Amino acid sequence: MNALMNRRLLPLAVTMALFVAMAAFGAFTYDGFLAPQVFLNLIIDNAFLCIVAVGMTFVILSGGIDLSVGAVIALATMISAALLAAGWNPYAAMAVVLVVGAVFGGLQGYLIQRFGLAPFIVTLAGMFFARGCCYLISTESIPINDATYAAIAQARIPLGGGASLTIGGLIALAVVVLAMRVAHATEFGRTVYAIGGGESSARLMGLKVDGTKIGVYLLSGLSAALAGIVMTFYMLSGYSLHAMGLELDAIAAVVIGGTLLAGGVGYVAGTLFGVLILGIIQTLIAFDGSLSSWWTRIVVGALLLLFCLLQRLFEGRTHKGA
Amino acid sequence: MKNMFRLLMRHALFWPSIALVLLLAGSAAFNPAFLSVSWHDGHLYGNLIDILNRAAPLIIVSLGMTLVIAVRGLDISVGAVVAISAAVAALMIGGSFSADGAVNSDYPLWAALATALAVAAACGLWNGLLVVKAGMQPIVATLILMVAGRGIAQLLTGGQIITIYYAPFFTLGNGYLLGLPVALWIAVLTWVALHLLLSRTALGLFVRAIGGNPEAARVAGVRSSAITLCVYTFCGLAAGIAGLIVSSNVKSADANNAGQLLELDAILAVTLGGTALTGGRFTLAGTIIGALIIQTLTSMIYSLGVPPEVNLVVKAALVFTVMLLQSAEFRALVGRATRGTRATSR
């Protein structure tokens, strides 16, 4: 049992060690890297990625994948901006966006569960559909001039010592804490792990497999919509090209966070560190100043490769052990 | 006669062909000039020719994708490989102006094309190695190159759009041979070569065997790892060819946008053509029809004056429909429903 726990925790430990190593490298190489605000900015600048990656964690834990999240974020920013431009109450607009995201994700989950379709292809079509809907609303960027949104965007929560967090960052952290609780202390969470471990066994155990599978995609759609709202705080605009390719970053964050793509093994906390690692790569490249931004993509690709190979190693050992 | 019709209906290419014909008929109904083809400047000219020309890169990539899907794989890195191949070709050809105003290429054209194709094939081989040797899921294995590939292409081009000035290179994407676009000839050649290779040798049977049941195929003595490696390498090569055509067509290499979302269109073309996403059953001709459906749809939407953005929603609706039609559960549900109505009408 102890050895099994270690095997499961090892990828998480590797991820955390990697983050600490990168932070240490930054601290030694660049002046002012170790300031608290630099690390808070990791969360502030990647708040939407963090939220959507947490939703993706549940999908991947259940053995599925959701490629539509980037497009749903863009749709969320578009709907927010369009409703605000039409004079809606900002909180009503947010509620509508959340409902749209949840319904969108839920419908995808229904197609996947009810008709046994491949999650990859359903969410791919969902991605086309959501981006298409963005264009139908408008092909131009819609600015947001609402006073409430502007106030939320500029609000800073002081944390002492001159460091501060934005509302978006706070929401991201709250989502992480809530998701950890859902994953490890609720029936839903345990069923998700069970489905990822083996769907037919989960069914034989009498778990609510069907509802949970739909619920996982509903949750992912909901978190994408929430991420879209946080993005509107960050960008103060709605645009159909927002969050292009963000689904790949989210999947990368989940994998780097130590979650097995085959499902069943992983931690929400790992995803948080995965997001932080993606963020710190960008920060390191920004601090360096001489490296171009496309190095980010190459480094993320290399890290993905590293962690996938690592996972194969663990999987091989687990099978031999069993 | 009725029997013949039933046989025809059961043919794998029946429904995709009907869809294509309906689309063309629909376009012609809205715009009678849509189907007209004329002779202009020594080559054929018209909407149909335009569709064939524009569909060529997609057809080539989709042919590679068909084989990958047939062996239960998936390659979502083709868009990135298109960008890499275009970048390599553009860098090597470049184009420097000599004193008399003529444009020379930096390297011989054949060397540039060969290098670009070799790099693309290497990308495919890399994907194949990750799938076969490292045992990764195909989506994940190719996701790595999809993420890193555009970064590599941007690294090659220095983040700039590289313009190509060397005119002979433009033949690939803009030239005509015997009245038809060169790109179309390349697509047809690729198809014929693949078709002969798969139907005249045992290779096609092996590919079907691997897709049908990889373990059984291996036990039966099919060299599945070697064949799977070849299939991924070919898919990379196909993406490379498409990259050359695309960059030749726009006379530049854009690391950011070349081949953007091409992987999705290719998968869509393969699905529309009737290849099973679960592997084992594939049809190259169906894939070509699938690619033509996608391009006809795009051209039709443009020619109808509908905002091109609608295209994405239409494509999504298409995918959902095709997926549902392929799903056994959905067929069962529809079957029950129609039987139910028949019973009540009686």
Side-chain angles (χ1 to χ4, degrees):
Chain A
M1 189 60 207
N2 208 1
L4 186 75
M5 282 306 288
N6 279 342
R7 245 197 319 260
R8 294 208 159 166
L9 284 173
L10 202 56
L12 184 59
V14 171
T15 309
M16 286 179 172
L18 186 67
F19 177 72
V20 172
M22 288 174 119
F25 171 78
F28 276 115
T29 321
Y30 308 113
D31 285 336
F33 192 87
L34 219 48
Q37 193 59 49
V38 171
F39 288 88
L40 285 173
N41 280 348
L42 286 183
I43 295 172
I44 293 171
D45 294 337
N46 295 292
F48 45 89
L49 176 61
C50 182
I51 295 169
V52 81
V54 165
M56 183 74 80
T57 309
F58 283 93
V59 177
I60 292 182
L61 277 178
S62 80
I65 199 142
D66 188 349
L67 296 178
S68 69
V69 288
V72 173
I73 290 178
L75 184 60
T77 67
M78 280 310 264
I79 296 179
S80 306
L83 289 182
L84 289 173
W88 277 53
N89 176 304
Y91 296 103
M94 287 182 212
V96 168
V97 167
L98 289 179
V99 169
V100 168
V103 169
F104 192 91
L107 277 178
Q108 292 188 129
Y110 178 76
L111 285 175
I112 291 164
Q113 192 278 321
R114 177 67 183 79
F115 299 114
L117 302 176
F120 165 74
I121 203 91
V122 171
T123 53
L124 191 65
M127 166 180 158
F128 273 140
F129 189 77
R131 285 256 180 237
C133 289
C134 290
Y135 288 126
L136 288 183
I137 295 175
S138 166
T139 50
E140 304 288 318
S141 173
I142 307 176
I144 293 176
N145 302 317
D146 183 81
T148 316
Y149 263 70
I152 295 175
Q154 280 157 11
R156 286 273 176 170
I157 302 143
L159 295 176
S164 61
L165 200 60
T166 57
I167 305 269
L170 194 69
I171 294 176
L173 288 180
V175 164
V176 170
V177 172
L178 194 71
M180 284 169 80
R181 177 124 188 99
V182 169
H184 303 300
T186 64
E187 195 188 333
F188 175 80
R190 271 173 298 198
T191 312
V192 170
Y193 276 96
I195 295 175
E199 195 178 325
S200 43
S201 346
R203 211 176 282 276
L204 286 174
M205 281 159 73
L207 296 172
K208 291 174 194 144
V209 172
D210 298 343
T212 308
K213 261 179 103 173
I214 297 177
V216 159
Y217 290 94
L218 189 144
L219 197 67
S220 180
L222 183 66
S223 64
L226 183 61
I229 292 176
V230 169
M231 191 180 234
T232 48
F233 295 154
Y234 193 74
M235 307 268 193
L236 281 182
S237 70
Y239 189 32
S240 40
L241 290 178
H242 273 332
M244 206 69 173
L246 196 78
E247 57 278 351
L248 298 181
D249 286 338
I251 295 170
V254 174
V255 173
I256 292 173
T259 300
L260 282 195
L261 271 158
V265 180
Y267 296 97
V268 175
T271 300
L272 174 62
F273 277 94
V275 171
L276 290 177
I277 286 180
L278 291 190
I280 208 166
I281 293 173
Q282 278 169 354
T283 312
L284 282 172
I285 285 171
F287 262 84
D288 181 88
S290 69
L291 287 171
S292 323
S293 63
W294 47 82
W295 276 104
T296 315
R297 303 221 69 85
I298 299 177
V299 174
V300 171
L303 276 183
L304 256 180
L305 173 68
L306 182 77
F307 275 82
C308 287
L309 289 176
L310 213 66
Q311 286 191 1
R312 292 299 304 165
L313 221 63
F314 289 128
E315 274 175 46
R317 285 213 194 126
T318 319
H319 285 306
K320 262 173 220 156
Chain B
M1 186 63 207
K2 206 176 169 188
N3 260 343
M4 248 183 82
F5 185 68
R6 202 169 281 168
L7 264 180
L8 194 69
M9 259 185 72
R10 238 186 268 155
H11 193 276
L13 294 183
F14 180 74
W15 292 110
S17 312
I18 291 286
L20 181 58
V21 169
L22 281 181
L23 267 181
L24 288 175
S27 316
F30 281 107
N31 176 8
F34 195 86
L35 294 180
S36 73
V37 173
S38 57
W39 188 267
H40 249 281
D41 306 328
H43 62 79
L44 289 170
Y45 182 89
N47 269 321
L48 289 179
I49 305 299
D50 193 50
I51 289 175
L52 288 173
N53 192 12
R54 284 175 189 278
L58 179 60
I59 290 176
I60 296 169
V61 171
S62 307
L63 286 174
M65 186 72 83
T66 309
L67 292 184
V68 171
I69 289 180
V71 296
R72 290 200 177 180
L74 200 64
D75 187 349
I76 55 174
S77 71
V78 284
V81 176
V82 163
I84 293 178
S85 149
V88 170
L91 273 184
M92 288 189 66
I93 296 168
S96 48
F97 297 91
S98 59
D100 56 347
V103 182
N104 300 313
S105 74
D106 297 344
Y107 289 86
L109 186 61
W110 65 266
L113 298 186
T115 313
L117 292 183
V119 169
C123 289
L125 181 66
W126 160 262
N127 284 332
L129 283 175
L130 287 184
V131 172
V132 173
K133 298 291 175 197
M136 286 185 198
Q137 290 160 278
I139 298 184
V140 186
T142 52
L143 173 70
I144 294 170
L145 191 58
M146 184 185 184
V147 173
R150 276 194 196 277
I152 294 171
Q154 279 176 323
L155 192 67
L156 287 173
T157 61
Q160 309 286 323
I161 297 176
I162 297 187
T163 313
I164 304 171
Y165 297 105
Y166 185 59
F169 178 64
F170 304 154
T171 317
L172 277 181
N174 298 306
Y176 287 85
L177 184 69
L178 302 177
L180 288 172
V182 171
L184 180 65
W185 284 110
I186 299 176
V188 169
L189 264 182
T190 314
W191 174 55
V192 170
L194 261 191
H195 180 74
L196 289 179
L197 198 65
L198 290 168
S199 61
R200 293 299 161 89
T201 70
L203 208 58
L205 182 69
F206 290 164
V207 166
R208 285 191 175 83
I210 296 171
N213 186 339
E215 193 55 25
R218 198 183 56 78
V219 172
V222 175
R223 294 179 59 204
S224 44
S225 2
I227 292 177
T228 309
L229 264 184
C230 286
V231 162
Y232 276 97
T233 310
F234 173 74
C235 190
L237 181 68
I241 299 175
L244 292 181
I245 296 178
V246 168
S247 63
S248 158
N249 189 266
V250 297
K251 302 178 182 177
S252 63
D254 180 354
N256 251 332
N257 295 315
Q260 188 76 266
L261 291 181
L262 188 70
E263 52 279 345
L264 308 184
D265 274 351
I267 294 169
L268 181 55
V270 173
T271 327
L272 285 175
T275 295
L277 277 172
T278 44
R281 277 190 295 127
F282 72 92
T283 146
L284 295 176
T287 296
I288 292 181
I289 296 179
L292 288 177
I293 290 178
I294 294 176
Q295 192 54 51
T296 309
L297 200 65
T298 311
S299 299
M300 178 175 149
I301 285 171
Y302 275 112
S303 77
L304 289 185
V306 180
E309 292 76 24
V310 180
N311 210 343
L312 277 174
V313 179
V314 176
K315 271 186 199 168
L318 253 182
V319 187
F320 279 127
T321 316
V322 173
M323 271 189 313
L324 285 176
L325 289 178
Q326 281 195 357
S327 143
E329 282 87 350
F330 184 76
R331 284 183 182 181
L333 187 76
V334 174
R336 268 203 303 278
T338 47
R339 242 173 287 144
T341 49
R342 260 185 228 157
T344 46
S345 66
R346 243 182 252 157

